[in-house]
Amino acid sequence: MKKSPRARSRQPNRTVSIIGTGSYVPERVLTNADIEKFVETSDEWITSRTGIKERRIAAEGEHTSHMAAKAAQRAMEQAGVTPGEIDVIILGTVTPDTFFPSTACHVQRILGAKNAACFDISAACSGFLFAVEIAQQFITNHTCNTVLVIGADKLSSIVNWEDRNTCVLFGDGAGAAVLRYRAGSHGVITTYMASDGNYGEILHMPGGGCALPITRDNVDQRLNTLHMNGRETFKQAIISMSAAATIALEQAGLTTDDLTCIIPHQANMRIIEALAERMKVPLGKFHVNLDRYGNTSAAAVAIALDEANRSGRFQLGDYVLLVVFGGGLTYASSVIQW
Ligand code: UT7
């Protein structure tokens, strides 16, 4: 485990802060009972093994950029920021509208954020927190003032709907945050991110890139869909998220007792329970919404953050820990004083 030197974004009288959050999920609800109709599974199996009851599926013609823009508009509205004030848009996704232009550029067009430099990052489910760290660095280094960070995925477009091992787990959605310096000491206190490419094949999409370009044969073998070794992914999720949580807390000089709320990646309730046990934190401190949305990849932690923010789960001055894990492997954490 590498120890990250990246820590504080505080300056004497100001701190890089999240000044607005937003999220969006598509209207269509796909319940466990609906999935029972096309693969051999049951509501009982899905609920007891994952905690997921339903997930949202994007409409025909509704792309990652459309969901991302809706989440971004809500975050900008809460932040009181106009599209012209956005200097950079960083979007974490593994389901871009197109390989290029980037989905962030598509979002820029929809928002009319004409002054923004835009790019995507590929860190799977960790994409949103990786983007928060990049945004924090840009602002701290005075590269720019206002950054729009988005996690958005349309996993329904890369799921093999005949594979019961994976299709029950995922959903579509987007979450966003606006970051900028704010007077005072509240804001993003620590960020940590790490990767281990040796585990790349436990959760990946083998086809579609230059290694295995799309051919009729590859599509017939479903190589253009998500493949996962569930048990190994489960194990690595617990190991990496508990390590990332410990490092972020150490860097912040805090203990779990100082935290009001923990917002974890929303993949499986049993992973969150195991994390709570390792961290010796009551499960009630974790914000969980995977029962309603499933695993929305890069969007998951961002949607949960927005939900927790808007529902008053934490107040000004409270400490919040975000911790994620995803394909790559990638993992990340951040302590924020709200
Ligand atoms: O963003 C990060 C991405 N992913 C994750 O974090 C996922 C991590 N992994 C997991 O959440 C869990 O490993 C799963 C939910 C995917 C699977 O749960 P598990 O308890 O690890 O089950 P398993 O893979 O060990 O499979 C147990 C049994 C198998 O049957 P046999 O071989 O014991 O007869 C599977 O074929 O459950 C079967 N199974 C199902 N049965 C009904 C697998 N999927 C299903 C299903 N419905 N949907």
Side-chain angles (χ1 to χ4, degrees):
M1 168 75 57
K2 287 160 286 186
K3 194 141 190 173
S4 169
R6 299 174 289 270
R8 292 178 181 269
S9 60
R10 291 174 195 239
Q11 288 203 351
N13 300 311
R14 52 194 202 150
T15 310
V16 177
S17 301
I18 291 180
I19 60 166
T21 61
S23 60
Y24 169 81
V25 288
E27 258 173 52
R28 186 180 155 211
V29 175
L30 186 72
T31 65
N32 292 348
D34 294 330
I35 296 183
E36 278 176 13
K37 292 176 194 147
F38 56 82
V39 287
E40 201 185 322
T41 189
S42 65
D43 174 47
E44 196 284 325
W45 191 96
I46 303 169
T47 306
S48 62
R49 298 290 180 123
T50 71
I52 298 166
K53 299 295 287 183
E54 57 188 44
R55 67 290 289 145
R56 300 298 182 96
I57 303 295
E60 189 78 33
E62 186 174 33
H63 307 323
T64 298
S65 65
H66 301 139
M67 297 189 288
K70 285 189 173 130
Q73 274 156 345
R74 290 171 186 169
M76 286 161 52
E77 195 181 301
Q78 190 179 74
V81 161
T82 61
E85 290 176 75
I86 302 290
D87 298 313
V88 180
I89 300 175
I90 311 172
L91 190 147
T93 190
V94 289
T95 48
D97 289 22
T98 48
F99 272 149
F100 63 90
S102 69
T103 303
C105 282
H106 291 299
V107 171
Q108 174 190 35
R109 189 190 64 245
I110 299 169
L111 296 179
K114 59 182 183 351
N115 299 317
C118 307
F119 60 95
D120 291 355
I121 58 163
S122 174
C125 307
S126 307
F128 178 77
L129 273 197
F130 272 46
V132 166
E133 163 137 10
I134 297 165
Q136 185 209 298
Q137 298 295 331
F138 277 171
I139 299 169
T140 308
N141 297 335
H142 306 288
T143 308
C144 60
N145 293 317
T146 309
V147 184
L148 173 61
V149 163
I150 307 171
D153 265 309
K154 182 177 168 180
L155 280 203
S156 63
S157 67
I158 59 164
V159 157
N160 176 359
W161 288 102
E162 291 170 3
D163 175 15
R164 69 175 185 173
N165 291 291
T166 53
C167 78
V168 301
L169 303 174
F170 300 102
D172 302 333
V178 179
L179 280 86
R180 140 184 302 182
Y181 262 129
R182 191 164 57 182
S185 60
H186 295 188
V188 180
I189 296 177
T190 61
T191 52
Y192 170 75
M193 57 184 193
S195 307
D196 189 346
N198 291 314
Y199 287 97
E201 288 192 0
I202 66 172
L203 177 54
H204 68 148
M205 188 169 92
C210 71
L212 268 178
I214 294 176
T215 62
R216 192 163 297 194
D217 235 25
N218 291 343
V219 172
D220 286 347
Q221 294 174 58
R222 299 279 194 270
L223 296 178
N224 60 329
T225 62
L226 180 154
H227 291 241
M228 182 178 71
N229 174 340
R231 278 186 202 177
E232 190 57 32
T233 305
F234 189 97
K235 202 171 99 191
Q236 293 303 326
I238 297 164
I239 294 170
S240 58
M241 283 204 290
S242 53
T246 304
I247 290 171
L249 283 170
E250 269 174 21
Q251 285 182 346
L254 299 174
T255 71
T256 51
D257 290 341
D258 298 311
L259 299 172
T260 300
C261 184
I262 301 172
I263 303 182
H265 178 45
Q266 310 281 321
N268 186 320
M269 196 58 211
R270 289 190 294 136
I271 293 176
I272 296 174
E273 284 163 0
L275 186 61
E277 202 172 299
R278 278 196 174 207
M279 291 176 70
K280 300 189 175 52
V281 174
L283 202 52
K285 251 191 199 183
F286 286 76
H287 187 83
V288 177
N289 64 15
L290 60 82
D291 52 323
R292 285 171 288 134
Y293 305 136
N295 179 350
T296 55
S297 185
V301 76
I303 295 173
L305 174 67
D306 181 49
E307 233 179 46
N309 178 24
R310 286 174 191 261
S311 65
R313 259 210 90 150
F314 41 79
Q315 310 298 326
L316 200 67
D318 285 346
Y319 289 106
V320 180
L321 170 72
L322 291 92
V323 58
V324 296
F325 157 88
L329 298 182
T330 55
Y331 46 106
S333 57
S334 180
V335 173
I336 295 171
Q337 187 175 23
W338 208 255

